[in-house]
Amino acid sequence: MTHSLRIPDLTIPARPARAGWPAGVGPGDAGDPAVNDVDVIRVLGEARLAGTVHVVGAKNSALKLMAAALLAPGRSVITNVPRITDIAIMGEVLRRLGCVVRFAADDPVDPMVARGGVERSRSVVIDVPEQPGAEADYDLVRRLRASICVLGPLLARRRYVRVAHPGGDAIGSRGLDMHIAGLARMGAEISGEHGFVIAEAPDGLHGADILLDFPSVGATENLVMAAVLARGTTTIDNAAREPEIVDICTMLSRMGARIEGAGTSTLHITGVRELRPVRHATVGDRIVAGTWAFAAAMTRGDVTVTGVDPAYLEVALDKLVSAGGLVETRGGAFRVRMDDRPKAVDVVTLPFPGFATDLLPMAIGLAAVSDGASLITENIFDGRFMFANEMMRLGADIRTDGHHALVCGHERLSGAPVRATDIRAGAGLIIAGLCADGVTEVSHVHHVDRGYPDFVADLRALGVEVERGTAPEEPDLAI
């Protein structure tokens, strides 16, 4: 049976860029949370994804690389940066610290652009002053939790920093205890007042032995960036091992830092007197790549993903093989094909190299349409299942108990209006809508904009009937 969305053209015209922001990604422009929280994405279900999608640089790496540029005065250039809202916000954070930040076209050109599409990655050029500022304001930090990563580099260079306590996605508690405890061991005096974290090291930081209670990515990044300019040697045990950690250590090493053990659970950092600016390419986004892998499996499609080393997704791709999929890997690309209904598989999230917590919404989506029952266990964030109620509106059979979810699969879901609660939940709901009958409308898609450059265009290129537009106005119920 042939379906039609039968809804008006909701295309939003591109808006001119504000000063210093990429076109369409700035205050008051498409891409800004203040505007896009009223946007919706509508997809027609019973879709099958087929084709090739190119993945650009990882958001979770690019943001920290931008912060790392603060460690060296002069011009650093970071390429393969995704064209998303969070990058623009981080650019503004750096500007307020006294940096000159501009965005430029990547060279070589993004393959999407070469095919006549919209530019999805850019280079960010950062000119860092000899004396950067020492305060990160609340109005920006509250919108971007990753901006807390300026704490380490600013403390190392300025010996004083005042950073607003961060906000970010509503996916559970993500405290700064390990950041603060590690910096304190390196000689920092930490206090808090009026919603700000204040760190001082009047005599500079010194090397220390640090044992993290948990392999926190954010804490590892902040402590490494602080340690590269500290006196002596810092050892971080139980350090995070994610590819994004390796990426920032690679950039820092090119800047002149002395780091051993990147990619392992023990890092040794010998401080140096100064670093130099550098040009560095951002590692591919394994979470976006994993999203497309699960989308291919859920829709019984055939998708090739380029731009990411499949080794970063070994556990996730193995799960898709266990579910009945065919996975082929080669160099910086992989292909996922699913010919029949997926078989149910259990998933447990763990720090890298385990199954990534950011792919949990996609794992639940796969379980919702699989043959059998799946047990999904979340070990990283206590609020990851917040979006389960939205998935249940699509007909998913989900029962949650603490950090476990039992999901009983159905052949087909049912299209309905749903609301994105965070970046990955938004993408997961859109993809689940492809496995439903009828039209699924996902609201609050500004969350998706924070992690997926040009998501709608990629869906359309893979054969999806999809539209984006402004949600209808809420009725005025005031008495």
Side-chain angles (χ1 to χ4, degrees), residues 57 125 417:
V125 181

Side-chain angles (χ1 to χ4, degrees), residues 75-146:
R75 174 171 294 180
S76 286
V77 180
I78 304 167
T79 64
N80 197 31
V81 172
R83 188 176 176 273
I84 54 175
T85 311
D86 280 12
I87 296 296
I89 297 173
M90 180 58 86
E92 187 64 16
V93 170
L94 297 182
R95 282 193 193 92
R96 295 193 191 180
L97 292 171
C99 301
V100 176
V101 181
R102 65 181 179 85
F103 297 90
D106 260 344
D107 184 25
V109 173
D110 183 328
M112 182 72 177
V113 180
R115 297 196 300 269
V118 176
E119 181 183 57
R120 295 177 302 166
S121 73
R122 310 207 85 187
S123 294
V124 56
V125 181
I126 306 168
D127 288 294
V128 180
E130 290 290 340
Q131 285 290 319
E135 181 169 323
D137 298 326
Y138 172 70
D139 66 313
L140 292 174
V141 176
R142 70 178 177 83
R143 294 167 60 187
L144 179 63
R145 180 179 176 82

